[in-house]
Amino acid sequence: SNDQFQNVVMQSPYYLTRAETVDAAVDFVLDTRTDLYGPGSRRLIQIKVSDKLTGIVKKTTTFNYSYFQSNYNPWASYLNSLFYSLPSPLTTIGYLGCSNSRLRLDSVNINASTYQPPYRFSYNSVVPDKYSYSQDHWGYYNGANNQSNGYSFTHLIPFSGIGGVQNLIPADVLSISSIGFTRDCDSSLMQAMVLNNLVYPTGGSTSFTYEPHQSSTASTAHVTGGGLRVKTIRNYESGN
């Protein structure tokens, strides 16, 4: 595809739904999802372990989901201006309808013979649009207004910052108005949607804090970016 013509391939993946031994079976229960478009999109909602000789379900693991939802969508007019080559039965309206959401695992229930509370997950609340041009060199969100002058892919070429072309490229080849602002890392915004906290069935919890990688291109040139790493892990007892 190019800047105006988007060729969309309809995927039809194969999913594992059952594994068996002589006396046991493991079933993988799937359901549809709305953040990925097409009839082949699935999410795993349950794993069941059964005794084949008695038919009794020995253990069930249930996955509970919702969606990260972005309400900021300045790219709607741009996306609507493109020409889409969609195989039947896909439609442009349906394809664009999933542009603001991403599947999110909220909790996991693991139950054997008795019920126990779920494992619960919470995440960073920053949710960029899927089509945001506000991204650093490594694809993480940086909040930069790179699409201010348009939405062509050249706006992912930065004017300033690390790798910035500034005035190195002649204006008659690539004008300033057709490129973005910066692809530098933002150490806070790059944590969009990352896992912040895990609560255990016992009531205890684990929290995570992150920081960007640091590197250098020369003895005096330090670079922030290249993804996130875990900085601290803190464990808490129930009630703390």
Side-chain angles (χ1 to χ4, degrees), residues 169-215:
I169 300 178
D172 59 340
V173 176
L174 189 65
S175 67
I176 293 177
S177 64
S178 65
I179 61 178
F181 176 60
T182 180
R183 300 288 300 276
D184 282 3
C185 161
D186 184 298
S187 59
S188 177
L189 293 178
M190 70 185 301
Q191 299 183 39
M193 302 180 293
V194 299
L195 178 68
N196 281 342
N197 194 65
L198 163 62
V199 178
Y200 300 96
T202 57
S205 63
T206 298
S207 67
F208 306 90
T209 58
Y210 303 86
E211 63 182 2
H213 290 293
Q214 302 285 334
S215 60

Side-chain angles (χ1 to χ4, degrees), residues 100-118:
N100 284 350
S101 63
R102 297 174 178 86
L103 191 66
R104 179 180 66 203
L105 179 65
D106 292 328
S107 63
V108 176
N109 290 82
I110 301 176
N111 299 313
S113 57
T114 58
Y115 169 80
Q116 63 175 333

Side-chain angles (χ1 to χ4, degrees), residues 21-165:
T21 66
V22 174
D23 56 1
V26 180
D27 290 291
F28 303 91
V29 184
L30 306 175
D31 196 6
T32 57
R33 56 190 295 180
T34 60
D35 62 320
L36 298 178
Y37 188 51
S41 302
R42 296 290 184 270
R43 56 180 176 167
L44 177 67
I45 61 171
Q46 195 173 74
I47 300 174
K48 296 190 297 183
V49 180
S50 305
D51 186 325
K52 289 176 63 178
L53 302 179
T54 64
I56 297 174
V57 177
K58 295 292 186 178
K59 188 174 184 179
T60 301
T61 300
T62 303
F63 303 90
N64 305 296
Y65 302 91
S66 63
Y67 291 90
F68 290 106
Q69 193 72 37
S70 172
N71 295 319
Y72 180 64
N73 186 19
W75 297 271
S77 59
Y78 164 65
L79 295 174
N80 287 323
S81 72
L82 301 179
F83 299 97
Y84 295 90
S85 176
L86 294 164
S88 178
L90 305 187
T91 65
T92 300
I93 293 176
Y95 181 67
L96 297 181
C98 67
S99 65
N100 284 350
S101 63
R102 297 174 178 86
L103 191 66
R104 179 180 66 203
L105 179 65
D106 292 328
S107 63
V108 176
N109 290 82
I110 301 176
N111 299 313
S113 57
T114 58
Y115 169 80
Q116 63 175 333
Y119 293 83
R120 293 180 285 118
F121 310 96
S122 59
Y123 304 85
N124 184 286
S125 60
V126 175
V127 183
D129 187 271
K130 281 184 181 178
Y131 298 96
S132 173
Y133 281 15
S134 303
Q135 53 184 278
D136 64 22
H137 286 290
W138 300 271
Y140 290 83
Y141 183 58
N142 71 352
N145 196 21
N146 289 328
Q147 75 291 338
S148 60
N149 292 313
Y151 296 92
S152 67
F153 294 153
T154 59
H155 285 87
L156 291 176
I157 300 173
F159 175 79
S160 61
I162 299 171
V165 298

